[in-house]
Amino acid sequence: MSTEMMQAMVVAAPGAPLTAVQTRVPVPGPGEVLVRVRACGLNFADTLLVAGKYQVRPEMPFAPGMEIAGVVEQVGEGVTRLPLGARVAAYAGYGGLAEWAVVPADRCAVVPEGMPDTVAAGFLIAYGTSHIALGWVAKLRPGETLLVLGASGGVGLTAVELGARMGARVIAVARGPERQAIAERAGASVLLDASADIRAEVKALGGADVVYDPVGGELAEAALRATRPRARILPIGFASGGVPQYPANLLLVKDLSVLGVHFGAWADHSPEAVRGCFETLFAWWRLGRLAPHVSNVLPLAEAEAGLDLLRRRQATGKVVVEIAG
């Protein structure tokens, strides 16, 4: 057991605010690495995690923070792929809002030279989810119409960007001109306000071949009814709080497919595919084909404020907590 101490932001009970504590630096086990955390990317799923409403429920108290960027400082038994001192981004699951974190080595990716920690910390989950959803699951084709709900949010914005890079016509749904402008810069061809009649507007544009939905609720219902025959619907999350119920009769008569995408499950059952996904995405970043959007960078002591930005859906792109320089 390590005797060295570190600062962490932890949740002690479901729904409680984060509090700063001193706790022991963790020790990596077989197949794991100890990372000195420099930045932690926050995701909407972190808000569910601290509320006790996520599918993964760590024993409390624990530090949330699903993805990190930092430096490998210690490796566990059997780890040969990552040398000491390597700059990595990692999908930790939780534990990222701390000065050190232990993560499985196969969930780490070496960060390209020149990529800032604040960008690397928010890169894997958002871009990884969209790349797997659009490329691997929906098999989006050039010339198809992609409808993205929540298009200025963390994952939605990456779906706009990747969809456009894959040759799709992207219809971006976002609330207000400022958020729509962000989606337009990412590559959206058509901009719709979230308050519009999405069903009527999208049908007038010919309908959607693929729906990327991190929002759920009423928007999900409208998007479903704006699909073309044989469309693919991708439930990514439920930021609105409403979990859509897809009527089987409509799926049948329109020959629709509903294809759930859970990044954490892919990391568990297909780690090689996920690593290949990261290699592709980092290569695109090095070539200047991706432009990650970080809207807020906060210090560790203000991590609760970062989660609140996500709860109130006030952020665009990613919210990142900077832990060490």
Side-chain angles (χ1 to χ4, degrees):
M1 177 183 293
S2 171
T3 58
E4 190 173 359
M5 303 298 286
M6 68 175 184
Q7 186 178 31
M9 298 296 291
V10 305
V11 57
L18 300 181
T19 56
V21 302
Q22 291 290 315
T23 187
R24 294 186 187 278
V25 174
V27 177
E32 296 179 331
V33 296
L34 176 67
V35 176
R36 178 68 166 98
V37 182
R38 290 179 171 172
C40 175
L42 299 183
N43 294 271
F44 186 79
D46 285 306
T47 69
L48 302 178
L49 195 68
V50 301
K53 297 179 180 179
Y54 197 56
Q55 52 262 37
V56 177
R57 298 186 181 183
E59 182 179 350
M60 294 189 178
F62 73 94
M66 292 188 170
E67 58 182 333
I68 61 172
V71 177
V72 175
E73 292 206 349
Q74 188 177 343
V75 300
E77 181 183 351
V79 176
T80 58
R81 188 174 64 87
L82 296 171
L84 296 179
R87 286 186 66 228
V88 296
Y91 170 62
Y94 60 91
L97 286 175
E99 293 176 312
W100 278 271
V102 162
V103 294
D106 63 6
R107 290 193 174 193
C108 295
V110 176
V111 174
E113 185 177 351
M115 177 179 276
D117 294 319
T118 50
V119 171
F123 191 88
L124 297 188
I125 291 179
Y127 278 105
T129 298
S130 293
H131 189 262
I132 288 170
L134 298 178
W136 292 66
V137 178
K139 296 179 172 58
L140 180 68
R141 296 183 291 270
E144 289 192 310
T145 295
L146 169 65
L147 174 62
V148 181
L149 308 182
S152 66
V155 290
L157 193 60
T158 63
V160 171
E161 190 174 13
L162 292 180
R165 300 299 177 271
M166 295 166 71
R169 177 180 67 155
V170 180
I171 302 174
V173 179
R175 192 172 299 278
E178 181 180 347
R179 292 170 181 265
Q180 291 167 35
I182 291 171
E184 185 175 31
R185 288 194 294 272
S189 303
V190 180
L191 306 171
L192 297 177
D193 194 89
S195 63
D197 185 341
I198 300 302
R199 175 182 180 181
E201 295 277 2
V202 175
K203 288 185 73 172
L205 293 165
D209 297 295
V210 175
V211 176
Y212 186 98
D213 178 18
V215 177
E218 294 181 0
L219 280 179
E221 170 72 14
L224 171 69
R225 297 184 181 279
T227 52
R228 293 169 51 83
R230 295 179 299 281
R232 291 89 75 200
I233 300 163
L234 300 166
I236 305 297
F238 318 109
S240 70
V243 178
Q245 305 298 310
Y246 300 103
N249 62 325
L250 187 58
L251 301 181
L252 185 153
V253 298
K254 295 185 72 173
D255 199 17
L256 304 177
S257 299
V258 178
L259 304 162
V261 181
H262 177 211
F263 180 81
W266 273 79
D268 287 335
H269 65 62
S270 301
E272 292 184 2
V274 170
R275 282 199 297 273
C277 163
F278 292 159
E279 289 172 3
T280 297
L281 291 167
F282 280 140
W284 288 352
W285 181 86
R286 283 193 294 267
L287 292 170
R289 295 178 181 173
L290 300 177
H293 178 71
V294 178
S295 63
N296 301 85
V297 178
L298 304 169
L300 183 59
E302 296 178 22
E304 178 64 30
L307 291 177
D308 199 46
L309 286 171
L310 298 177
R311 293 186 188 103
R312 295 185 291 111
R313 299 171 67 181
Q314 295 297 305
T316 58
K318 294 295 297 188
V319 175
V320 175
V321 172
E322 196 167 30
I323 298 174

Short mmCIF file of all heavy atoms in Angstrom, two decimals, residues 216-280:
data_model
loop_
_atom_site.label_atom_id
_atom_site.label_comp_id
_atom_site.label_asym_id
_atom_site.label_seq_id
_atom_site.Cartn_x
_atom_site.Cartn_y
_atom_site.Cartn_z
N GLY A 216 -32.40 12.27 -26.28
CA GLY A 216 -33.61 11.56 -25.86
C GLY A 216 -34.81 12.49 -25.79
O GLY A 216 -34.84 13.57 -26.40
N GLY A 217 -35.83 12.08 -25.05
CA GLY A 217 -37.01 12.91 -24.83
C GLY A 217 -37.80 13.20 -26.09
O GLY A 217 -37.86 12.39 -27.02
N GLU A 218 -38.42 14.38 -26.13
CA GLU A 218 -39.29 14.75 -27.25
C GLU A 218 -38.52 14.87 -28.56
O GLU A 218 -39.06 14.57 -29.62
CB GLU A 218 -40.01 16.07 -26.93
CG GLU A 218 -41.00 15.97 -25.78
CD GLU A 218 -41.70 17.28 -25.51
OE1 GLU A 218 -41.41 18.27 -26.23
OE2 GLU A 218 -42.54 17.34 -24.59
N LEU A 219 -37.28 15.31 -28.50
CA LEU A 219 -36.49 15.42 -29.73
C LEU A 219 -36.27 14.04 -30.36
O LEU A 219 -36.28 13.90 -31.59
CB LEU A 219 -35.14 16.08 -29.45
CG LEU A 219 -35.12 17.61 -29.35
CD1 LEU A 219 -33.71 18.09 -29.05
CD2 LEU A 219 -35.64 18.25 -30.62
N ALA A 220 -36.08 13.04 -29.53
CA ALA A 220 -35.89 11.69 -30.06
C ALA A 220 -37.14 11.21 -30.79
O ALA A 220 -37.05 10.59 -31.86
CB ALA A 220 -35.54 10.73 -28.92
N GLU A 221 -38.30 11.51 -30.24
CA GLU A 221 -39.57 11.13 -30.88
C GLU A 221 -39.71 11.84 -32.22
O GLU A 221 -40.10 11.22 -33.23
CB GLU A 221 -40.73 11.51 -29.95
CG GLU A 221 -42.11 11.40 -30.56
CD GLU A 221 -42.57 9.97 -30.76
OE1 GLU A 221 -41.96 9.05 -30.20
OE2 GLU A 221 -43.57 9.77 -31.50
N ALA A 222 -39.42 13.13 -32.26
CA ALA A 222 -39.53 13.88 -33.51
C ALA A 222 -38.54 13.35 -34.55
O ALA A 222 -38.88 13.21 -35.74
CB ALA A 222 -39.28 15.36 -33.25
N ALA A 223 -37.33 13.06 -34.12
CA ALA A 223 -36.32 12.55 -35.05
C ALA A 223 -36.71 11.20 -35.61
O ALA A 223 -36.51 10.92 -36.80
CB ALA A 223 -34.97 12.47 -34.34
N LEU A 224 -37.25 10.34 -34.77
CA LEU A 224 -37.71 9.02 -35.22
C LEU A 224 -38.69 9.15 -36.38
O LEU A 224 -38.61 8.42 -37.38
CB LEU A 224 -38.36 8.28 -34.05
CG LEU A 224 -39.08 6.97 -34.39
CD1 LEU A 224 -38.09 5.89 -34.79
CD2 LEU A 224 -39.92 6.51 -33.20
N ARG A 225 -39.59 10.09 -36.27
CA ARG A 225 -40.65 10.24 -37.28
C ARG A 225 -40.18 11.06 -38.49
O ARG A 225 -40.94 11.23 -39.45
CB ARG A 225 -41.89 10.85 -36.64
CG ARG A 225 -42.45 9.91 -35.55
CD ARG A 225 -43.73 10.39 -34.93
NE ARG A 225 -44.15 9.44 -33.90
CZ ARG A 225 -44.81 8.31 -34.14
NH1 ARG A 225 -45.15 7.99 -35.39
NH2 ARG A 225 -45.16 7.51 -33.16
N ALA A 226 -38.92 11.51 -38.44
CA ALA A 226 -38.37 12.24 -39.58
C ALA A 226 -37.39 11.36 -40.38
O ALA A 226 -36.68 11.87 -41.24
CB ALA A 226 -37.65 13.49 -39.10
N THR A 227 -37.37 10.07 -40.08
CA THR A 227 -36.42 9.19 -40.74
C THR A 227 -36.92 8.73 -42.10
O THR A 227 -38.12 8.66 -42.36
CB THR A 227 -36.14 7.95 -39.88
OG1 THR A 227 -37.40 7.36 -39.51
CG2 THR A 227 -35.36 8.30 -38.64
N ARG A 228 -35.96 8.38 -42.95
CA ARG A 228 -36.24 7.72 -44.21
C ARG A 228 -36.38 6.21 -43.97
O ARG A 228 -35.93 5.70 -42.94
CB ARG A 228 -35.10 7.98 -45.19
CG ARG A 228 -34.98 9.42 -45.64
CD ARG A 228 -33.67 9.65 -46.39
NE ARG A 228 -33.46 8.68 -47.46
CZ ARG A 228 -33.99 8.77 -48.69
NH1 ARG A 228 -34.77 9.83 -48.98
NH2 ARG A 228 -33.76 7.88 -49.61
N PRO A 229 -36.97 5.46 -44.91
CA PRO A 229 -36.99 4.01 -44.78
C PRO A 229 -35.56 3.45 -44.65
O PRO A 229 -34.63 3.96 -45.25
CB PRO A 229 -37.64 3.54 -46.09
CG PRO A 229 -38.48 4.70 -46.51
CD PRO A 229 -37.72 5.93 -46.09
N ARG A 230 -35.42 2.43 -43.81
CA ARG A 230 -34.15 1.75 -43.55
C ARG A 230 -33.12 2.65 -42.87
O ARG A 230 -31.92 2.42 -42.96
CB ARG A 230 -33.57 1.14 -44.83
CG ARG A 230 -34.43 0.04 -45.42
CD ARG A 230 -33.83 -0.53 -46.70
NE ARG A 230 -33.69 0.48 -47.75
CZ ARG A 230 -34.70 0.89 -48.52
NH1 ARG A 230 -35.93 0.41 -48.33
NH2 ARG A 230 -34.50 1.81 -49.45
N ALA A 231 -33.60 3.65 -42.16
CA ALA A 231 -32.69 4.52 -41.40
C ALA A 231 -32.16 3.78 -40.18
O ALA A 231 -32.73 2.79 -39.71
CB ALA A 231 -33.42 5.79 -40.98
N ARG A 232 -31.04 4.30 -39.67
CA ARG A 232 -30.42 3.76 -38.46
C ARG A 232 -30.46 4.83 -37.36
O ARG A 232 -30.06 5.97 -37.59
CB ARG A 232 -28.97 3.35 -38.72
CG ARG A 232 -28.84 2.12 -39.62
CD ARG A 232 -28.79 2.50 -41.09
NE ARG A 232 -27.51 3.06 -41.48
CZ ARG A 232 -27.33 3.80 -42.57
NH1 ARG A 232 -28.35 4.12 -43.37
NH2 ARG A 232 -26.12 4.25 -42.87
N ILE A 233 -30.97 4.45 -36.20
CA ILE A 233 -31.10 5.38 -35.07
C ILE A 233 -30.10 4.97 -34.00
O ILE A 233 -30.04 3.80 -33.60
CB ILE A 233 -32.54 5.34 -34.51
CG1 ILE A 233 -33.52 5.75 -35.62
CG2 ILE A 233 -32.67 6.24 -33.29
CD1 ILE A 233 -34.94 5.37 -35.32
N LEU A 234 -29.31 5.93 -33.54
CA LEU A 234 -28.23 5.67 -32.59
C LEU A 234 -28.53 6.35 -31.26
O LEU A 234 -28.25 7.55 -31.09
CB LEU A 234 -26.90 6.19 -33.15
CG LEU A 234 -26.44 5.59 -34.48
CD1 LEU A 234 -25.33 6.44 -35.08
CD2 LEU A 234 -25.99 4.16 -34.29
N PRO A 235 -29.12 5.66 -30.28
CA PRO A 235 -29.26 6.24 -28.94
C PRO A 235 -27.89 6.27 -28.26
O PRO A 235 -27.29 5.23 -28.01
CB PRO A 235 -30.22 5.29 -28.22
CG PRO A 235 -30.70 4.32 -29.26
CD PRO A 235 -29.69 4.31 -30.35
N ILE A 236 -27.42 7.47 -27.96
CA ILE A 236 -26.10 7.65 -27.35
C ILE A 236 -26.22 7.99 -25.86
O ILE A 236 -25.37 7.64 -25.05
CB ILE A 236 -25.32 8.77 -28.07
CG1 ILE A 236 -25.23 8.48 -29.57
CG2 ILE A 236 -23.93 8.94 -27.48
CD1 ILE A 236 -24.48 7.22 -29.94
N GLY A 237 -27.29 8.70 -25.51
CA GLY A 237 -27.51 9.11 -24.12
C GLY A 237 -28.83 9.83 -24.00
O GLY A 237 -29.58 9.96 -24.97
N PHE A 238 -29.11 10.30 -22.78
CA PHE A 238 -30.44 10.87 -22.50
C PHE A 238 -30.29 12.16 -21.68
O PHE A 238 -30.78 12.27 -20.57
CB PHE A 238 -31.30 9.84 -21.76
CG PHE A 238 -31.17 8.45 -22.32
CD1 PHE A 238 -30.52 7.46 -21.61
CD2 PHE A 238 -31.67 8.16 -23.58
CE1 PHE A 238 -30.37 6.19 -22.14
CE2 PHE A 238 -31.54 6.89 -24.12
CZ PHE A 238 -30.89 5.90 -23.40
N ALA A 239 -29.59 13.14 -22.29
CA ALA A 239 -29.30 14.38 -21.57
C ALA A 239 -30.55 15.13 -21.15
O ALA A 239 -30.54 15.89 -20.19
CB ALA A 239 -28.42 15.28 -22.43
N SER A 240 -31.67 14.93 -21.87
CA SER A 240 -32.92 15.60 -21.52
C SER A 240 -33.58 14.97 -20.30
O SER A 240 -34.49 15.55 -19.71
CB SER A 240 -33.90 15.52 -22.70
OG SER A 240 -34.35 14.19 -22.88
N GLY A 241 -33.14 13.77 -19.94
CA GLY A 241 -33.76 13.03 -18.85
C GLY A 241 -34.84 12.08 -19.29
O GLY A 241 -35.30 11.24 -18.51
N GLY A 242 -35.27 12.19 -20.55
CA GLY A 242 -36.33 11.31 -21.06
C GLY A 242 -35.76 10.18 -21.89
O GLY A 242 -35.04 10.42 -22.87
N VAL A 243 -36.04 8.95 -21.50
CA VAL A 243 -35.57 7.78 -22.24
C VAL A 243 -36.61 7.42 -23.29
O VAL A 243 -37.75 7.10 -22.96
CB VAL A 243 -35.33 6.58 -21.30
CG1 VAL A 243 -34.89 5.35 -22.10
CG2 VAL A 243 -34.30 6.94 -20.24
N PRO A 244 -36.27 7.48 -24.59
CA PRO A 244 -37.27 7.22 -25.63
C PRO A 244 -37.76 5.78 -25.65
O PRO A 244 -37.00 4.85 -25.35
CB PRO A 244 -36.55 7.57 -26.94
CG PRO A 244 -35.12 7.74 -26.61
CD PRO A 244 -34.97 7.83 -25.14
N GLN A 245 -39.02 5.63 -25.99
CA GLN A 245 -39.63 4.31 -26.18
C GLN A 245 -39.98 4.19 -27.66
O GLN A 245 -40.85 4.90 -28.16
CB GLN A 245 -40.89 4.17 -25.32
CG GLN A 245 -40.66 4.44 -23.84
CD GLN A 245 -39.69 3.47 -23.20
OE1 GLN A 245 -39.85 2.25 -23.36
NE2 GLN A 245 -38.70 3.97 -22.49
N TYR A 246 -39.29 3.32 -28.37
CA TYR A 246 -39.46 3.21 -29.81
C TYR A 246 -40.60 2.26 -30.15
O TYR A 246 -40.54 1.07 -29.79
CB TYR A 246 -38.16 2.74 -30.46
CG TYR A 246 -36.99 3.66 -30.21
CD1 TYR A 246 -36.02 3.33 -29.28
CD2 TYR A 246 -36.87 4.86 -30.90
CE1 TYR A 246 -34.95 4.18 -29.05
CE2 TYR A 246 -35.81 5.71 -30.68
CZ TYR A 246 -34.86 5.37 -29.75
OH TYR A 246 -33.81 6.22 -29.51
N PRO A 247 -41.67 2.74 -30.83
CA PRO A 247 -42.81 1.87 -31.15
C PRO A 247 -42.43 0.83 -32.20
O PRO A 247 -41.94 1.17 -33.29
CB PRO A 247 -43.85 2.86 -31.69
CG PRO A 247 -43.08 4.04 -32.15
CD PRO A 247 -41.86 4.12 -31.29
N ALA A 248 -42.65 -0.43 -31.87
CA ALA A 248 -42.24 -1.51 -32.76
C ALA A 248 -42.96 -1.45 -34.11
O ALA A 248 -42.39 -1.84 -35.14
CB ALA A 248 -42.49 -2.86 -32.09
N ASN A 249 -44.20 -0.97 -34.11
CA ASN A 249 -44.93 -0.93 -35.38
C ASN A 249 -44.27 0.04 -36.37
O ASN A 249 -44.19 -0.23 -37.57
CB ASN A 249 -46.39 -0.56 -35.15
CG ASN A 249 -46.57 0.83 -34.53
OD1 ASN A 249 -45.75 1.25 -33.71
ND2 ASN A 249 -47.62 1.52 -34.91
N LEU A 250 -43.76 1.17 -35.87
CA LEU A 250 -43.10 2.12 -36.75
C LEU A 250 -41.75 1.58 -37.23
O LEU A 250 -41.38 1.76 -38.39
CB LEU A 250 -42.92 3.46 -36.02
CG LEU A 250 -42.39 4.61 -36.88
CD1 LEU A 250 -43.29 4.87 -38.07
CD2 LEU A 250 -42.25 5.87 -36.04
N LEU A 251 -41.03 0.92 -36.33
CA LEU A 251 -39.77 0.30 -36.73
C LEU A 251 -40.01 -0.71 -37.84
O LEU A 251 -39.24 -0.82 -38.80
CB LEU A 251 -39.11 -0.40 -35.54
CG LEU A 251 -38.77 0.46 -34.32
CD1 LEU A 251 -38.10 -0.40 -33.25
CD2 LEU A 251 -37.88 1.63 -34.69
N LEU A 252 -41.13 -1.44 -37.73
CA LEU A 252 -41.44 -2.48 -38.71
C LEU A 252 -41.79 -1.89 -40.06
O LEU A 252 -41.22 -2.26 -41.08
CB LEU A 252 -42.58 -3.36 -38.17
CG LEU A 252 -42.98 -4.58 -38.99
CD1 LEU A 252 -43.57 -5.63 -38.07
CD2 LEU A 252 -44.02 -4.23 -40.07
N VAL A 253 -42.74 -0.95 -40.08
CA VAL A 253 -43.24 -0.47 -41.38
C VAL A 253 -42.21 0.37 -42.12
O VAL A 253 -42.24 0.44 -43.35
CB VAL A 253 -44.57 0.31 -41.22
CG1 VAL A 253 -45.65 -0.59 -40.65
CG2 VAL A 253 -44.39 1.56 -40.37
N LYS A 254 -41.27 1.01 -41.38
CA LYS A 254 -40.24 1.80 -42.04
C LYS A 254 -38.91 1.05 -42.14
O LYS A 254 -37.93 1.59 -42.65
CB LYS A 254 -40.04 3.14 -41.31
CG LYS A 254 -41.27 4.05 -41.36
CD LYS A 254 -41.00 5.41 -40.75
CE LYS A 254 -40.09 6.27 -41.61
NZ LYS A 254 -39.98 7.65 -41.09
N ASP A 255 -38.89 -0.19 -41.63
CA ASP A 255 -37.68 -1.01 -41.69
C ASP A 255 -36.51 -0.29 -41.03
O ASP A 255 -35.40 -0.20 -41.58
CB ASP A 255 -37.34 -1.35 -43.16
CG ASP A 255 -36.41 -2.54 -43.28
OD1 ASP A 255 -36.28 -3.28 -42.30
OD2 ASP A 255 -35.80 -2.70 -44.35
N LEU A 256 -36.75 0.23 -39.81
CA LEU A 256 -35.75 1.01 -39.09
C LEU A 256 -34.91 0.11 -38.18
O LEU A 256 -35.38 -0.93 -37.71
CB LEU A 256 -36.41 2.10 -38.25
CG LEU A 256 -37.33 3.07 -39.00
CD1 LEU A 256 -37.96 4.04 -38.01
CD2 LEU A 256 -36.55 3.83 -40.07
N SER A 257 -33.70 0.54 -37.90
CA SER A 257 -32.83 -0.15 -36.95
C SER A 257 -32.47 0.80 -35.82
O SER A 257 -32.07 1.94 -36.07
CB SER A 257 -31.55 -0.62 -37.63
OG SER A 257 -31.82 -1.52 -38.68
N VAL A 258 -32.62 0.35 -34.57
CA VAL A 258 -32.19 1.10 -33.40
C VAL A 258 -30.94 0.41 -32.87
O VAL A 258 -30.98 -0.76 -32.48
CB VAL A 258 -33.28 1.17 -32.32
CG1 VAL A 258 -32.77 1.93 -31.10
CG2 VAL A 258 -34.54 1.82 -32.87
N LEU A 259 -29.82 1.13 -32.86
CA LEU A 259 -28.52 0.54 -32.56
C LEU A 259 -27.86 1.29 -31.41
O LEU A 259 -27.29 2.37 -31.60
CB LEU A 259 -27.63 0.60 -33.81
CG LEU A 259 -28.22 -0.06 -35.08
CD1 LEU A 259 -27.49 0.43 -36.32
CD2 LEU A 259 -28.15 -1.57 -34.96
N GLY A 260 -27.97 0.77 -30.22
CA GLY A 260 -27.38 1.43 -29.07
C GLY A 260 -25.87 1.40 -29.12
O GLY A 260 -25.26 0.44 -29.61
N VAL A 261 -25.24 2.46 -28.62
CA VAL A 261 -23.78 2.57 -28.61
C VAL A 261 -23.33 3.00 -27.21
O VAL A 261 -23.64 4.11 -26.78
CB VAL A 261 -23.27 3.58 -29.65
CG1 VAL A 261 -21.75 3.64 -29.62
CG2 VAL A 261 -23.75 3.20 -31.05
N HIS A 262 -22.63 2.11 -26.52
CA HIS A 262 -22.10 2.41 -25.19
C HIS A 262 -20.58 2.27 -25.25
O HIS A 262 -20.05 1.16 -25.39
CB HIS A 262 -22.68 1.45 -24.15
CG HIS A 262 -22.13 1.66 -22.77
ND1 HIS A 262 -21.98 0.64 -21.86
CD2 HIS A 262 -21.68 2.78 -22.15
CE1 HIS A 262 -21.46 1.11 -20.75
NE2 HIS A 262 -21.27 2.40 -20.90
N PHE A 263 -19.88 3.40 -25.18
CA PHE A 263 -18.43 3.40 -25.35
C PHE A 263 -17.74 2.49 -24.34
O PHE A 263 -16.81 1.76 -24.69
CB PHE A 263 -17.90 4.83 -25.23
CG PHE A 263 -16.41 4.93 -25.41
CD1 PHE A 263 -15.85 4.95 -26.67
CD2 PHE A 263 -15.57 4.99 -24.31
CE1 PHE A 263 -14.47 5.03 -26.83
CE2 PHE A 263 -14.21 5.07 -24.46
CZ PHE A 263 -13.65 5.09 -25.72
N GLY A 264 -18.19 2.53 -23.09
CA GLY A 264 -17.55 1.70 -22.06
C GLY A 264 -17.63 0.22 -22.38
O GLY A 264 -16.68 -0.54 -22.15
N ALA A 265 -18.76 -0.21 -22.94
CA ALA A 265 -18.91 -1.63 -23.30
C ALA A 265 -17.94 -1.99 -24.43
O ALA A 265 -17.35 -3.07 -24.43
CB ALA A 265 -20.34 -1.91 -23.72
N TRP A 266 -17.77 -1.10 -25.39
CA TRP A 266 -16.81 -1.35 -26.48
C TRP A 266 -15.40 -1.46 -25.92
O TRP A 266 -14.62 -2.32 -26.34
CB TRP A 266 -16.89 -0.24 -27.52
CG TRP A 266 -17.93 -0.50 -28.56
CD1 TRP A 266 -19.27 -0.31 -28.44
CD2 TRP A 266 -17.72 -1.03 -29.88
NE1 TRP A 266 -19.92 -0.68 -29.60
CE2 TRP A 266 -18.99 -1.11 -30.50
CE3 TRP A 266 -16.59 -1.41 -30.59
CZ2 TRP A 266 -19.14 -1.59 -31.80
CZ3 TRP A 266 -16.74 -1.88 -31.89
CH2 TRP A 266 -18.01 -1.96 -32.49
N ALA A 267 -15.06 -0.59 -24.97
CA ALA A 267 -13.73 -0.64 -24.37
C ALA A 267 -13.50 -1.97 -23.66
O ALA A 267 -12.38 -2.48 -23.60
CB ALA A 267 -13.55 0.52 -23.40
N ASP A 268 -14.58 -2.56 -23.11
CA ASP A 268 -14.47 -3.85 -22.40
C ASP A 268 -14.41 -5.03 -23.36
O ASP A 268 -13.56 -5.90 -23.22
CB ASP A 268 -15.66 -4.03 -21.45
CG ASP A 268 -15.58 -3.13 -20.24
OD1 ASP A 268 -14.45 -2.73 -19.87
OD2 ASP A 268 -16.64 -2.82 -19.65
N HIS A 269 -15.34 -5.07 -24.36
CA HIS A 269 -15.43 -6.29 -25.16
C HIS A 269 -14.64 -6.22 -26.47
O HIS A 269 -14.40 -7.25 -27.10
CB HIS A 269 -16.88 -6.67 -25.44
CG HIS A 269 -17.67 -5.71 -26.28
ND1 HIS A 269 -17.35 -5.38 -27.58
CD2 HIS A 269 -18.80 -5.01 -26.00
CE1 HIS A 269 -18.24 -4.54 -28.06
NE2 HIS A 269 -19.12 -4.28 -27.13
N SER A 270 -14.24 -5.01 -26.88
CA SER A 270 -13.49 -4.89 -28.14
C SER A 270 -12.33 -3.90 -27.98
O SER A 270 -12.24 -2.91 -28.71
CB SER A 270 -14.42 -4.43 -29.27
OG SER A 270 -15.48 -5.32 -29.46
N PRO A 271 -11.41 -4.15 -27.02
CA PRO A 271 -10.34 -3.18 -26.78
C PRO A 271 -9.44 -2.95 -27.99
O PRO A 271 -8.96 -1.84 -28.20
CB PRO A 271 -9.56 -3.79 -25.61
CG PRO A 271 -9.91 -5.23 -25.62
CD PRO A 271 -11.31 -5.31 -26.13
N GLU A 272 -9.23 -3.98 -28.81
CA GLU A 272 -8.39 -3.79 -29.99
C GLU A 272 -9.05 -2.86 -31.00
O GLU A 272 -8.38 -2.02 -31.62
CB GLU A 272 -8.07 -5.15 -30.62
CG GLU A 272 -7.16 -6.02 -29.77
CD GLU A 272 -6.79 -7.31 -30.47
OE1 GLU A 272 -7.19 -7.50 -31.63
OE2 GLU A 272 -6.08 -8.13 -29.85
N ALA A 273 -10.37 -3.01 -31.16
CA ALA A 273 -11.10 -2.11 -32.06
C ALA A 273 -11.03 -0.67 -31.56
O ALA A 273 -10.86 0.27 -32.34
CB ALA A 273 -12.55 -2.56 -32.20
N VAL A 274 -11.16 -0.50 -30.26
CA VAL A 274 -11.12 0.84 -29.68
C VAL A 274 -9.73 1.46 -29.85
O VAL A 274 -9.60 2.64 -30.19
CB VAL A 274 -11.54 0.81 -28.20
CG1 VAL A 274 -11.28 2.15 -27.52
CG2 VAL A 274 -13.03 0.44 -28.08
N ARG A 275 -8.67 0.66 -29.64
CA ARG A 275 -7.32 1.19 -29.84
C ARG A 275 -7.11 1.60 -31.30
O ARG A 275 -6.49 2.62 -31.60
CB ARG A 275 -6.28 0.15 -29.42
CG ARG A 275 -6.07 0.06 -27.92
CD ARG A 275 -4.76 -0.61 -27.58
NE ARG A 275 -4.69 -1.98 -28.05
CZ ARG A 275 -5.13 -3.03 -27.36
NH1 ARG A 275 -5.68 -2.85 -26.17
NH2 ARG A 275 -5.02 -4.25 -27.84
N GLY A 276 -7.63 0.78 -32.24
CA GLY A 276 -7.53 1.15 -33.65
C GLY A 276 -8.28 2.43 -33.95
O GLY A 276 -7.82 3.25 -34.75
N CYS A 277 -9.43 2.60 -33.30
CA CYS A 277 -10.22 3.82 -33.44
C CYS A 277 -9.40 5.03 -32.98
O CYS A 277 -9.33 6.06 -33.66
CB CYS A 277 -11.50 3.68 -32.63
SG CYS A 277 -12.39 5.19 -32.28
N PHE A 278 -8.74 4.91 -31.83
CA PHE A 278 -7.94 6.01 -31.30
C PHE A 278 -6.77 6.34 -32.24
O PHE A 278 -6.45 7.51 -32.46
CB PHE A 278 -7.40 5.67 -29.91
CG PHE A 278 -8.45 5.57 -28.85
CD1 PHE A 278 -8.21 4.87 -27.68
CD2 PHE A 278 -9.68 6.18 -29.01
CE1 PHE A 278 -9.17 4.78 -26.69
CE2 PHE A 278 -10.66 6.10 -28.01
CZ PHE A 278 -10.40 5.39 -26.85
N GLU A 279 -6.14 5.32 -32.77
CA GLU A 279 -5.02 5.55 -33.69
C GLU A 279 -5.48 6.34 -34.91
O GLU A 279 -4.79 7.27 -35.35
CB GLU A 279 -4.40 4.22 -34.11
CG GLU A 279 -3.64 3.51 -33.00
CD GLU A 279 -3.20 2.12 -33.39
OE1 GLU A 279 -3.44 1.72 -34.56
OE2 GLU A 279 -2.62 1.41 -32.53
N THR A 280 -6.65 5.98 -35.42
CA THR A 280 -7.19 6.70 -36.58
C THR A 280 -7.50 8.15 -36.23
O THR A 280 -7.13 9.09 -36.96
CB THR A 280 -8.47 6.02 -37.08
OG1 THR A 280 -8.16 4.70 -37.54
CG2 THR A 280 -9.11 6.81 -38.22
#
